[in-house]
Short mmCIF file of all heavy atoms in Angstrom, two decimals:
data_model
loop_
_atom_site.label_atom_id
_atom_site.label_comp_id
_atom_site.label_asym_id
_atom_site.label_seq_id
_atom_site.Cartn_x
_atom_site.Cartn_y
_atom_site.Cartn_z
N VAL A 1 0.85 -1.21 0.00
CA VAL A 1 -0.01 -0.01 0.04
C VAL A 1 0.88 1.23 0.01
O VAL A 1 1.88 1.31 0.72
CB VAL A 1 -0.90 0.04 1.26
CG1 VAL A 1 -1.71 1.33 1.30
CG2 VAL A 1 -1.86 -1.13 1.27
N VAL A 2 0.51 2.21 -0.82
CA VAL A 2 1.09 3.56 -0.73
C VAL A 2 -0.10 4.48 -0.43
O VAL A 2 -1.12 4.40 -1.13
CB VAL A 2 1.78 3.98 -2.02
CG1 VAL A 2 2.37 5.39 -1.88
CG2 VAL A 2 2.89 3.00 -2.43
N ILE A 3 0.07 5.28 0.56
CA ILE A 3 -1.03 6.16 1.01
C ILE A 3 -0.53 7.57 1.28
O ILE A 3 0.63 7.74 1.64
CB ILE A 3 -1.68 5.55 2.30
CG1 ILE A 3 -2.97 6.29 2.66
CG2 ILE A 3 -0.71 5.52 3.49
CD1 ILE A 3 -3.83 5.60 3.68
N GLY A 4 -1.40 8.57 1.08
CA GLY A 4 -0.95 9.89 1.45
C GLY A 4 -1.63 11.02 0.73
O GLY A 4 -2.58 10.84 -0.01
N ASN A 5 -1.09 12.19 0.98
CA ASN A 5 -1.51 13.44 0.38
C ASN A 5 -0.22 14.09 -0.19
O ASN A 5 0.40 14.90 0.45
CB ASN A 5 -2.16 14.32 1.45
CG ASN A 5 -2.47 15.72 0.94
OD1 ASN A 5 -2.67 15.93 -0.23
ND2 ASN A 5 -2.45 16.68 1.86
N PRO A 6 0.17 13.67 -1.41
CA PRO A 6 1.42 14.17 -1.96
C PRO A 6 1.32 15.66 -2.28
O PRO A 6 0.26 16.22 -2.46
CB PRO A 6 1.60 13.33 -3.22
CG PRO A 6 0.23 12.90 -3.60
CD PRO A 6 -0.55 12.77 -2.31
N PRO A 7 2.51 16.30 -2.36
CA PRO A 7 2.50 17.72 -2.73
C PRO A 7 2.05 17.97 -4.15
O PRO A 7 2.30 17.16 -5.03
CB PRO A 7 3.98 18.13 -2.53
CG PRO A 7 4.77 16.87 -2.61
CD PRO A 7 3.85 15.75 -2.17
N TYR A 8 1.38 19.06 -4.35
CA TYR A 8 0.93 19.45 -5.67
C TYR A 8 1.38 20.89 -5.86
O TYR A 8 0.90 21.82 -5.25
CB TYR A 8 -0.58 19.30 -5.87
CG TYR A 8 -1.40 19.43 -4.61
CD1 TYR A 8 -1.94 20.67 -4.24
CD2 TYR A 8 -1.59 18.35 -3.78
CE1 TYR A 8 -2.65 20.81 -3.08
CE2 TYR A 8 -2.35 18.50 -2.60
CZ TYR A 8 -2.87 19.70 -2.26
OH TYR A 8 -3.60 19.84 -1.12
N ILE A 9 2.41 20.99 -6.70
CA ILE A 9 3.08 22.28 -6.94
C ILE A 9 3.35 22.41 -8.43
O ILE A 9 3.96 21.50 -9.04
CB ILE A 9 4.41 22.41 -6.16
CG1 ILE A 9 4.22 22.05 -4.70
CG2 ILE A 9 5.00 23.79 -6.32
CD1 ILE A 9 5.52 21.86 -3.95
N ARG A 10 2.96 23.49 -9.05
CA ARG A 10 3.27 23.72 -10.46
C ARG A 10 4.78 23.93 -10.59
O ARG A 10 5.43 24.47 -9.69
CB ARG A 10 2.53 24.97 -10.95
CG ARG A 10 1.05 24.71 -11.07
CD ARG A 10 0.36 25.89 -11.73
NE ARG A 10 -1.03 25.56 -11.84
CZ ARG A 10 -1.98 26.46 -11.83
NH1 ARG A 10 -1.70 27.76 -11.72
NH2 ARG A 10 -3.23 26.10 -11.96
N TRP A 11 5.29 23.54 -11.75
CA TRP A 11 6.75 23.67 -12.00
C TRP A 11 7.24 25.07 -11.68
O TRP A 11 8.26 25.24 -11.02
CB TRP A 11 7.03 23.30 -13.46
CG TRP A 11 8.48 23.50 -13.81
CD1 TRP A 11 9.06 24.68 -14.26
CD2 TRP A 11 9.52 22.58 -13.67
NE1 TRP A 11 10.38 24.47 -14.44
CE2 TRP A 11 10.73 23.20 -14.07
CE3 TRP A 11 9.57 21.25 -13.25
CZ2 TRP A 11 11.95 22.54 -14.06
CZ3 TRP A 11 10.78 20.59 -13.23
CH2 TRP A 11 11.95 21.23 -13.63
N LYS A 12 6.55 26.12 -12.14
CA LYS A 12 7.00 27.47 -11.97
C LYS A 12 7.11 27.87 -10.47
O LYS A 12 7.82 28.78 -10.14
CB LYS A 12 6.09 28.45 -12.72
CG LYS A 12 4.69 28.59 -12.14
CD LYS A 12 3.88 29.58 -12.93
CE LYS A 12 2.52 29.75 -12.27
NZ LYS A 12 1.73 30.77 -12.89
N ASN A 13 6.40 27.14 -9.60
CA ASN A 13 6.43 27.46 -8.18
C ASN A 13 7.41 26.57 -7.40
O ASN A 13 7.52 26.75 -6.18
CB ASN A 13 5.05 27.35 -7.57
CG ASN A 13 4.10 28.37 -8.20
OD1 ASN A 13 4.50 29.45 -8.56
ND2 ASN A 13 2.83 27.98 -8.34
N LEU A 14 8.07 25.63 -8.03
CA LEU A 14 9.02 24.78 -7.34
C LEU A 14 10.29 25.55 -7.04
O LEU A 14 10.75 26.39 -7.83
CB LEU A 14 9.38 23.55 -8.23
CG LEU A 14 8.33 22.48 -8.37
CD1 LEU A 14 8.81 21.45 -9.43
CD2 LEU A 14 8.02 21.79 -7.07
N ASN A 15 10.93 25.23 -5.93
CA ASN A 15 12.24 25.87 -5.67
C ASN A 15 13.31 25.25 -6.56
O ASN A 15 13.09 24.21 -7.18
CB ASN A 15 12.59 25.78 -4.17
CG ASN A 15 12.92 24.38 -3.71
OD1 ASN A 15 13.58 23.60 -4.39
ND2 ASN A 15 12.46 24.04 -2.51
N LYS A 16 14.42 25.96 -6.66
CA LYS A 16 15.48 25.55 -7.59
C LYS A 16 15.99 24.14 -7.31
O LYS A 16 16.19 23.36 -8.27
CB LYS A 16 16.64 26.55 -7.47
CG LYS A 16 17.76 26.29 -8.46
CD LYS A 16 18.85 27.32 -8.33
CE LYS A 16 19.98 27.02 -9.31
NZ LYS A 16 21.04 28.04 -9.20
N GLY A 17 16.10 23.72 -6.05
CA GLY A 17 16.59 22.39 -5.73
C GLY A 17 15.64 21.30 -6.24
O GLY A 17 16.11 20.26 -6.76
N LEU A 18 14.32 21.49 -6.11
CA LEU A 18 13.39 20.50 -6.60
C LEU A 18 13.40 20.44 -8.15
O LEU A 18 13.27 19.33 -8.71
CB LEU A 18 11.97 20.80 -6.11
CG LEU A 18 11.76 20.66 -4.57
CD1 LEU A 18 10.36 21.03 -4.21
CD2 LEU A 18 12.13 19.26 -4.10
N LYS A 19 13.55 21.59 -8.81
CA LYS A 19 13.64 21.58 -10.26
C LYS A 19 14.87 20.78 -10.75
O LYS A 19 14.76 20.01 -11.68
CB LYS A 19 13.70 23.00 -10.77
CG LYS A 19 12.38 23.73 -10.68
CD LYS A 19 12.48 25.17 -11.21
CE LYS A 19 11.16 25.88 -11.09
NZ LYS A 19 11.23 27.27 -11.58
N ILE A 20 15.98 20.98 -10.06
CA ILE A 20 17.20 20.25 -10.41
C ILE A 20 17.02 18.77 -10.19
O ILE A 20 17.38 17.91 -11.02
CB ILE A 20 18.41 20.80 -9.62
CG1 ILE A 20 18.75 22.19 -10.09
CG2 ILE A 20 19.62 19.83 -9.73
CD1 ILE A 20 19.75 22.92 -9.19
N GLU A 21 16.37 18.40 -9.06
CA GLU A 21 16.11 17.02 -8.76
C GLU A 21 15.25 16.37 -9.87
O GLU A 21 15.52 15.25 -10.35
CB GLU A 21 15.42 16.85 -7.42
CG GLU A 21 15.08 15.46 -7.04
CD GLU A 21 14.39 15.35 -5.69
OE1 GLU A 21 13.57 16.21 -5.35
OE2 GLU A 21 14.64 14.34 -5.00
N LEU A 22 14.20 17.03 -10.31
CA LEU A 22 13.36 16.49 -11.37
C LEU A 22 14.10 16.42 -12.70
O LEU A 22 13.95 15.44 -13.44
CB LEU A 22 12.06 17.33 -11.47
CG LEU A 22 11.10 17.24 -10.31
CD1 LEU A 22 9.90 18.17 -10.57
CD2 LEU A 22 10.64 15.83 -10.05
N ASP A 23 14.88 17.44 -13.00
CA ASP A 23 15.61 17.46 -14.29
C ASP A 23 16.58 16.29 -14.39
O ASP A 23 16.95 15.92 -15.49
CB ASP A 23 16.36 18.78 -14.45
CG ASP A 23 15.48 19.88 -15.04
OD1 ASP A 23 14.46 19.57 -15.66
OD2 ASP A 23 15.86 21.07 -14.88
N THR A 24 17.00 15.75 -13.26
CA THR A 24 17.94 14.63 -13.27
C THR A 24 17.25 13.28 -12.96
O THR A 24 17.98 12.28 -12.88
CB THR A 24 19.09 14.87 -12.23
OG1 THR A 24 18.50 15.01 -10.93
CG2 THR A 24 19.92 16.12 -12.60
N ASN A 25 15.98 13.26 -12.81
CA ASN A 25 15.23 12.07 -12.48
C ASN A 25 14.74 11.38 -13.76
O ASN A 25 14.01 12.01 -14.56
CB ASN A 25 14.05 12.42 -11.54
CG ASN A 25 13.28 11.18 -11.13
OD1 ASN A 25 12.49 10.66 -11.91
ND2 ASN A 25 13.50 10.75 -9.88
N ILE A 26 15.11 10.13 -13.95
CA ILE A 26 14.77 9.43 -15.21
C ILE A 26 13.25 9.25 -15.39
O ILE A 26 12.74 9.38 -16.50
CB ILE A 26 15.52 8.08 -15.32
CG1 ILE A 26 15.50 7.53 -16.75
CG2 ILE A 26 15.01 7.05 -14.33
CD1 ILE A 26 16.36 8.27 -17.70
N LEU A 27 12.53 8.98 -14.31
CA LEU A 27 11.06 8.84 -14.45
C LEU A 27 10.45 10.14 -14.91
O LEU A 27 9.55 10.15 -15.76
CB LEU A 27 10.44 8.45 -13.09
CG LEU A 27 10.31 6.98 -12.76
CD1 LEU A 27 9.71 6.80 -11.37
CD2 LEU A 27 9.53 6.22 -13.78
N TRP A 28 10.87 11.25 -14.32
CA TRP A 28 10.35 12.55 -14.72
C TRP A 28 10.71 12.82 -16.20
O TRP A 28 9.86 13.21 -16.98
CB TRP A 28 10.89 13.64 -13.84
CG TRP A 28 10.44 15.02 -14.22
CD1 TRP A 28 11.04 15.91 -15.06
CD2 TRP A 28 9.22 15.66 -13.78
NE1 TRP A 28 10.27 17.05 -15.20
CE2 TRP A 28 9.16 16.92 -14.41
CE3 TRP A 28 8.17 15.30 -12.95
CZ2 TRP A 28 8.15 17.82 -14.24
CZ3 TRP A 28 7.11 16.18 -12.76
CH2 TRP A 28 7.12 17.43 -13.41
N LYS A 29 11.99 12.68 -16.51
CA LYS A 29 12.45 13.01 -17.85
C LYS A 29 11.76 12.16 -18.94
O LYS A 29 11.53 12.63 -20.03
CB LYS A 29 13.99 12.84 -17.97
CG LYS A 29 14.70 13.94 -17.22
CD LYS A 29 16.21 13.80 -17.10
CE LYS A 29 16.95 13.09 -18.17
NZ LYS A 29 18.41 13.10 -17.98
N ASN A 30 11.46 10.91 -18.64
CA ASN A 30 10.81 10.03 -19.63
C ASN A 30 9.30 10.22 -19.76
O ASN A 30 8.71 9.76 -20.72
CB ASN A 30 11.10 8.57 -19.28
CG ASN A 30 12.52 8.18 -19.58
OD1 ASN A 30 13.26 8.87 -20.30
ND2 ASN A 30 12.96 7.07 -19.03
N ASN A 31 8.71 10.91 -18.80
CA ASN A 31 7.23 10.93 -18.79
C ASN A 31 6.61 12.34 -18.69
O ASN A 31 5.43 12.54 -19.02
CB ASN A 31 6.69 10.09 -17.63
CG ASN A 31 7.01 8.64 -17.80
OD1 ASN A 31 6.43 7.99 -18.63
ND2 ASN A 31 7.99 8.17 -17.02
N PHE A 32 7.36 13.29 -18.22
CA PHE A 32 6.79 14.59 -17.96
C PHE A 32 7.64 15.74 -18.51
O PHE A 32 8.74 15.50 -19.00
CB PHE A 32 6.57 14.78 -16.43
CG PHE A 32 5.82 13.66 -15.78
CD1 PHE A 32 6.39 12.90 -14.79
CD2 PHE A 32 4.55 13.35 -16.19
CE1 PHE A 32 5.69 11.84 -14.20
CE2 PHE A 32 3.82 12.33 -15.63
CZ PHE A 32 4.39 11.57 -14.63
N ASN A 33 7.09 16.97 -18.38
CA ASN A 33 7.85 18.15 -18.81
C ASN A 33 7.60 19.26 -17.82
O ASN A 33 6.92 19.07 -16.82
CB ASN A 33 7.45 18.54 -20.23
CG ASN A 33 6.00 18.87 -20.37
OD1 ASN A 33 5.43 19.60 -19.53
ND2 ASN A 33 5.33 18.33 -21.40
N ARG A 34 8.10 20.43 -18.15
CA ARG A 34 8.00 21.58 -17.24
C ARG A 34 6.61 22.21 -17.15
O ARG A 34 6.42 23.19 -16.44
CB ARG A 34 9.05 22.58 -17.58
CG ARG A 34 10.45 22.06 -17.29
CD ARG A 34 11.50 23.04 -17.64
NE ARG A 34 12.81 22.47 -17.27
CZ ARG A 34 13.87 23.20 -17.18
NH1 ARG A 34 13.86 24.49 -17.41
NH2 ARG A 34 15.01 22.62 -16.82
N LEU A 35 5.69 21.64 -17.85
CA LEU A 35 4.30 22.10 -17.73
C LEU A 35 3.51 21.19 -16.78
O LEU A 35 2.35 21.45 -16.50
CB LEU A 35 3.62 22.15 -19.12
CG LEU A 35 4.27 23.11 -20.10
CD1 LEU A 35 3.62 22.95 -21.46
CD2 LEU A 35 4.09 24.56 -19.61
N CYS A 36 4.19 20.16 -16.29
CA CYS A 36 3.53 19.19 -15.41
C CYS A 36 3.70 19.60 -13.95
O CYS A 36 4.53 20.38 -13.58
CB CYS A 36 4.14 17.79 -15.65
SG CYS A 36 3.80 17.21 -17.31
N ASP A 37 2.86 19.01 -13.12
CA ASP A 37 2.85 19.27 -11.70
C ASP A 37 3.77 18.31 -10.94
O ASP A 37 3.88 17.14 -11.33
CB ASP A 37 1.39 19.15 -11.22
CG ASP A 37 1.17 19.77 -9.85
OD1 ASP A 37 1.59 19.12 -8.85
OD2 ASP A 37 0.56 20.82 -9.80
N TYR A 38 4.33 18.75 -9.87
CA TYR A 38 5.16 17.92 -9.00
C TYR A 38 4.38 16.67 -8.51
O TYR A 38 4.99 15.62 -8.32
CB TYR A 38 5.57 18.78 -7.80
CG TYR A 38 6.68 18.24 -6.91
CD1 TYR A 38 7.84 17.72 -7.43
CD2 TYR A 38 6.58 18.38 -5.53
CE1 TYR A 38 8.84 17.25 -6.59
CE2 TYR A 38 7.57 17.91 -4.68
CZ TYR A 38 8.72 17.36 -5.21
OH TYR A 38 9.70 16.92 -4.38
N LEU A 39 3.13 16.78 -8.36
CA LEU A 39 2.27 15.67 -7.96
C LEU A 39 2.45 14.43 -8.85
O LEU A 39 2.41 13.30 -8.36
CB LEU A 39 0.80 16.13 -8.00
CG LEU A 39 -0.31 15.12 -7.99
CD1 LEU A 39 -0.33 14.39 -6.63
CD2 LEU A 39 -1.63 15.81 -8.27
N TYR A 40 2.63 14.63 -10.12
CA TYR A 40 2.67 13.55 -11.07
C TYR A 40 3.76 12.52 -10.80
O TYR A 40 3.59 11.33 -10.93
CB TYR A 40 2.83 14.07 -12.49
CG TYR A 40 1.77 15.01 -12.97
CD1 TYR A 40 1.88 15.63 -14.21
CD2 TYR A 40 0.66 15.29 -12.21
CE1 TYR A 40 0.94 16.54 -14.68
CE2 TYR A 40 -0.29 16.18 -12.64
CZ TYR A 40 -0.16 16.82 -13.88
OH TYR A 40 -1.13 17.71 -14.32
N ILE A 41 4.94 13.02 -10.41
CA ILE A 41 6.04 12.10 -10.12
C ILE A 41 5.78 11.27 -8.88
O ILE A 41 6.16 10.12 -8.77
CB ILE A 41 7.40 12.85 -10.02
CG1 ILE A 41 8.58 11.87 -9.98
CG2 ILE A 41 7.44 13.77 -8.81
CD1 ILE A 41 8.86 11.22 -11.28
N PHE A 42 5.04 11.84 -7.93
CA PHE A 42 4.65 11.07 -6.73
C PHE A 42 3.70 9.94 -7.07
O PHE A 42 3.85 8.84 -6.58
CB PHE A 42 4.02 12.00 -5.66
CG PHE A 42 5.03 12.74 -4.83
CD1 PHE A 42 5.64 13.88 -5.34
CD2 PHE A 42 5.38 12.29 -3.59
CE1 PHE A 42 6.57 14.55 -4.60
CE2 PHE A 42 6.32 12.95 -2.85
CZ PHE A 42 6.93 14.09 -3.34
#
């Protein structure tokens, strides 16, 4: 089971560290772009 209330933040509102983390994450890079929400990777 995975349960929770994950964060939902638009790309433009993410801090620089989170943007860098996503830019280097293979799941993000293969499935999403900078118009997507942080929620999607969760």
Side-chain angles (χ1 to χ4, degrees):
V1 175
V2 180
I3 189 168
N5 173 28
Y8 29 94
I9 308 168
R10 290 186 178 151
W11 176 271
K12 68 180 184 175
N13 296 328
L14 288 172
N15 69 41
K16 184 178 178 180
L18 294 178
K19 287 179 179 179
I20 291 169
E21 180 181 35
L22 291 178
D23 276 339
T24 59
N25 182 284
I26 195 74
L27 271 178
W28 178 269
K29 286 173 31 175
N30 287 343
N31 296 287
F32 307 120
N33 61 45
R34 292 179 177 197
L35 297 173
C36 295
D37 195 285
Y38 193 45
L39 165 66
Y40 302 174
I41 190 73
F42 278 81

